[in-house]
Amino acid sequence: MIYKILTHPNKELRKKSQKVLVAEICTPEKQKFLINMSKTMITKDGIGLAAPQIGVLKRIITIAYKDKVLVLINPILTKKSWLKEVEEEGCLSVPGVYGLVKRHHKLFVTAYNEQGKKVEFEAKGLLARIIQHEVDHLDGVLFIDKVIKITQGVMPETQ
Ligand code: ZN
């Protein structure tokens, strides 16, 4: 099943998502959801997707990375580098708009994977950028809130 992606200015995109109970990750219902969420991201040509973008206010993100799908549940970002980088970003929830956003170059991620196992790793560059963009969604933040300069499309109203 492919979910419908909510687009700005849908109010759901501005809400804070709740943590997932780790014991629930392996339930058939959650497993099905994680598969469908991954399929939705791939079908829509996204390199990342956060559950609130499909109207589910849970702290779950999926990332397309090196031909694989990375599922991160309840992600926490620490050890954010002092060094930041400016690169272009877009978002499935803000179609047609691209812009430059400053993000930490490197950070440390703690999360649970789709098997309910705790994972910890360092991410840098593009992967770190995608993770920061998706975790922002979990807190109701969109890239257009942080954009330095629009490179394609028109800046939408953010209120
Ligand atoms: Zn996005």
Side-chain angles (χ1 to χ4, degrees):
M1 182 192 168
I2 304 301
Y3 299 115
K4 183 180 176 311
I5 294 185
L6 305 181
T7 54
H8 175 74
N10 191 302
K11 285 192 168 66
E12 293 301 296
L13 293 170
R14 295 309 195 170
K15 292 180 181 169
K16 198 171 160 69
S17 292
Q18 302 300 308
K19 275 189 183 175
V20 176
L21 285 174
V22 177
E24 276 180 11
I25 296 172
C26 290
T27 61
E29 190 190 38
K30 263 288 183 296
Q31 290 292 306
K32 201 168 180 189
F33 173 76
L34 295 175
I35 289 167
N36 287 337
M37 185 174 159
S38 305
K39 277 187 189 167
T40 302
M41 172 182 69
I42 290 162
T43 305
K44 307 281 181 183
D45 279 330
I47 52 172
L49 187 67
Q53 290 181 276
I54 49 175
V56 176
L57 295 174
K58 292 284 181 186
R59 303 189 78 82
I60 303 171
I61 65 177
T62 58
I63 293 165
Y65 183 67
K66 290 184 176 172
D67 291 335
K68 278 197 264 182
V69 175
L70 203 59
V71 176
L72 299 175
I73 300 164
N74 300 343
I76 290 170
L77 309 183
T78 56
K79 297 184 193 169
K80 294 172 189 168
S81 64
W82 174 82
L83 180 68
K84 289 184 173 182
E85 285 173 338
V86 175
E87 293 287 348
E88 189 177 62
E89 287 185 22
C91 180
L92 292 172
S93 293
V94 193
V97 181
Y98 295 86
L100 301 177
V101 182
K102 196 186 259 191
R103 301 279 188 192
H104 296 282
H105 166 64
K106 203 164 85 174
L107 46 80
F108 198 77
V109 186
T110 304
Y112 290 88
N113 68 11
E114 69 281 8
Q115 290 152 11
K117 265 176 65 180
K118 195 172 187 179
V119 292
E120 292 178 297
F121 61 96
E122 186 185 86
K124 59 183 180 180
L126 178 62
L127 179 60
R129 174 169 297 273
I130 301 168
I131 292 171
Q132 288 169 84
H133 177 118
E134 301 311 330
V135 170
D136 272 353
H137 276 297
L138 304 181
D139 294 317
V141 175
L142 299 176
F143 88 97
I144 48 174
D145 303 341
K146 296 185 166 178
V147 73
I148 295 170
K149 185 177 182 274
I150 294 289
T151 50
Q152 199 182 315
V154 177
M155 178 69 177
E157 293 278 340
T158 47
Q159 285 306 306

